[in-house]
């Protein structure tokens, strides 16, 4: 796939984006969910080697193809690794899956109800390296915990500022200002976020992608789905179990999944390849259905 073909697949492809980008503090939790305890590694290199093995097993699975998984988000170390001798982005492209890279370096402490992204001083170099490996786009996460108007304005402004840097580097930014689904003011967060996203989109000359928490009221983000400056709106599972995440997703027309935990929750290291492929296939089918078959 060339860049134009990847853009077309992101704009209108039937399917969803797999989030394979757990990093740092979330890696032990992801490995534990996969059935590997912390006694299985002695250093960071060992830990990341095990998570790369898990992701490689997913990517090489017969259930993981571009017919239903149209994109995948990688952690930087995963991007730099190989799958069956191919650089990971090339292995994805060979299966018809568009590669993205997680670029944020974690979250600042909460201030005014939000957690901004930490500085990314080496971003330009990462963008250049990612583009050279065939990566199509990026993903950057920050978090909204409560309905503070100035905090949400600042978090969205930061997302777009980094997004413009990504576009300048020749990649497609996926902006992810996540609303914490456990927030007591979640519905108000959705409304404030929508207003700020629409305001910032008006100043854009190029398209971006958006990765958002599923809204309290289905259809809240319809103006973003229809917006000419938005290539695609995708949703994170946000801690929902897969059945609930897929049900919520199906109530929001035009939004596809970009799930992590909901995709991986039934996979175990101890499974035979046949069992692993069957469990992954079942998850992919459910998330694909939630992304493409909408309620009402």
């Amino acid at each position: 796939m060339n860049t134009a073909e990847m853009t077309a697949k992101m704009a209108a492809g039937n399917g969803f984006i797999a989030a394979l980008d757990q990093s740092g503090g979330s890696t032990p939790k992801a490995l534990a969910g996969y059935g590997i305890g912390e006694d299985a590694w002695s250093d960071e290199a060992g830990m990341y080697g095990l998570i790369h093995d898990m992701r490689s097993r997913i990517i090489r699975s017969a259930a993981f193809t571009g017919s239903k998984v149209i994109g995948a988000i990688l952690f930087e170390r995963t991007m730099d690794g190989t799958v069956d001798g191919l650089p990971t982005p090339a292995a994805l492209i060979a299966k018809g899956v568009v590669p993205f890279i997680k670029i944020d370096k974690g979250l600042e402490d909460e201030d005014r109800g939000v957690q901004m992204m930490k500085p990314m001083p080496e971003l330009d170099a990462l963008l250049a390296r990612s583009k050279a490996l065939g990566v199509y786009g990026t993903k950057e996460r920050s978090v909204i915990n409560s309905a503070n108007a100035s905090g949400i304005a600042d978090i969205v402004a930061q997302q777009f500022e980094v997004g413009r840097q990504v576009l300048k580097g020749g990649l497609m930014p996926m902006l992810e200002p996540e609303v914490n689904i456990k927030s007591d003011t979640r519905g108000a967060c959705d409304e404030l976020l929508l207003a700020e996203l629409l305001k910032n989109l008006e100043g854009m000359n190029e398209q971006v992608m958006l990765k958002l928490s599923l809204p309290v009221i289905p259809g809240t983000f319809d103006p973003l789905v229809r917006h000419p400056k938005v290539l695609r709106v995708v949703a994170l599972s946000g801690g929902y179990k897969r059945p609930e995440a897929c049900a919520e997703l199906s109530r929001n027309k035009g939004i596809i999944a970009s799930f992590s935990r909901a995709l991986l929750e039934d996979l175990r290291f101890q499974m035979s390849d046949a069992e692993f492929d069957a469990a992954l296939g079942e998850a992919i089918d459910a998330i694909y259905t939630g992304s493409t078959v909408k309620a009402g």
Side-chain angles (χ1 to χ4, degrees):
M1 291 184 288
N2 59 34
T3 300
E5 290 168 336
M6 292 185 194
T7 298
K9 190 155 196 172
M10 283 300 104
N14 282 328
F16 68 94
I17 297 171
L20 306 177
D21 60 336
Q22 301 92 344
S23 62
S26 64
T27 303
K29 185 175 180 180
L31 285 170
Y34 185 48
I36 299 178
E38 293 191 24
D39 58 350
W41 66 86
S42 58
D43 55 19
E44 188 178 78
M47 178 184 74
Y48 283 122
L50 288 168
I51 198 76
H52 184 73
D53 289 345
M54 181 189 82
R55 291 166 178 156
S56 298
R57 192 179 188 189
I58 291 167
I59 292 167
R60 69 167 63 94
S61 171
F64 191 91
T65 72
S67 62
K68 293 183 178 180
V69 183
I70 62 173
I73 306 168
L74 304 174
F75 174 48
E76 184 177 347
R77 286 174 181 257
T78 308
M79 177 187 78
D80 289 335
T82 61
V83 177
D84 293 340
L86 285 176
T88 307
L92 288 171
I93 292 169
K95 300 196 81 170
V97 179
V98 177
F100 290 78
I101 176 72
K102 165 188 158 67
I103 58 171
D104 66 86
K105 301 301 181 184
L107 302 172
E108 300 279 17
D109 292 337
E110 183 173 332
D111 177 50
R112 290 171 299 136
V114 303
Q115 291 175 271
M116 305 277 280
M117 293 180 286
K118 290 182 177 178
M120 294 172 257
E122 300 176 359
L123 179 56
D124 285 338
L126 175 59
L127 296 176
R129 187 155 52 83
S130 302
K131 188 171 176 61
L133 285 167
V135 170
Y136 172 74
T138 64
K139 190 213 76 165
E140 54 187 78
R141 174 179 175 262
S142 47
V143 175
I144 298 167
N145 292 311
S146 62
N148 181 297
S150 68
I152 291 173
D154 284 352
I155 214 171
V156 173
Q158 184 192 41
Q159 285 278 343
F160 275 85
E161 179 183 7
V162 175
R164 283 187 285 271
Q165 187 175 352
V166 170
L167 286 164
K168 189 175 179 181
L171 282 81
M172 169 60 64
M174 184 190 301
L175 314 184
E176 186 186 8
E178 174 185 345
V179 173
N180 185 339
I181 64 168
K182 297 179 181 178
S183 171
D184 293 335
T185 56
R186 187 174 151 212
C189 289
D190 290 343
E191 294 295 338
L192 288 167
L193 176 60
L194 173 63
E196 289 298 327
L197 287 170
L198 290 170
K199 182 172 75 174
N200 279 268
L201 283 166
E202 292 309 310
M204 295 297 293
N205 295 319
E206 298 174 84
Q207 287 185 312
V208 299
M209 292 176 64
L210 299 174
K211 181 169 178 174
L212 306 174
S213 302
L214 289 159
V216 174
I217 301 174
T220 294
F221 296 139
D222 284 356
L224 301 172
V225 173
R226 298 190 297 261
H227 201 288
K229 300 292 175 61
V230 178
L231 180 65
R232 201 75 184 258
V233 179
V234 307
L236 56 114
S237 53
Y240 286 129
K241 290 288 189 180
R242 185 167 63 244
E244 189 175 5
C246 291
E248 290 293 325
L249 179 64
S250 73
R251 299 185 184 105
N252 288 275
K253 295 180 179 179
I255 298 179
I256 64 171
S258 177
F259 290 173
S260 175
R261 279 169 288 184
L263 172 65
L264 309 176
E265 62 188 31
D266 292 336
L267 303 181
R268 299 293 181 271
F269 169 74
Q270 296 84 357
M271 288 176 165
S272 67
D273 287 345
E275 291 170 333
F276 184 90
D277 289 352
L280 180 60
E282 184 177 332
I284 287 172
D285 288 347
I287 299 168
Y288 175 84
T289 299
S291 296
T292 59
V293 179
K294 299 300 183 176

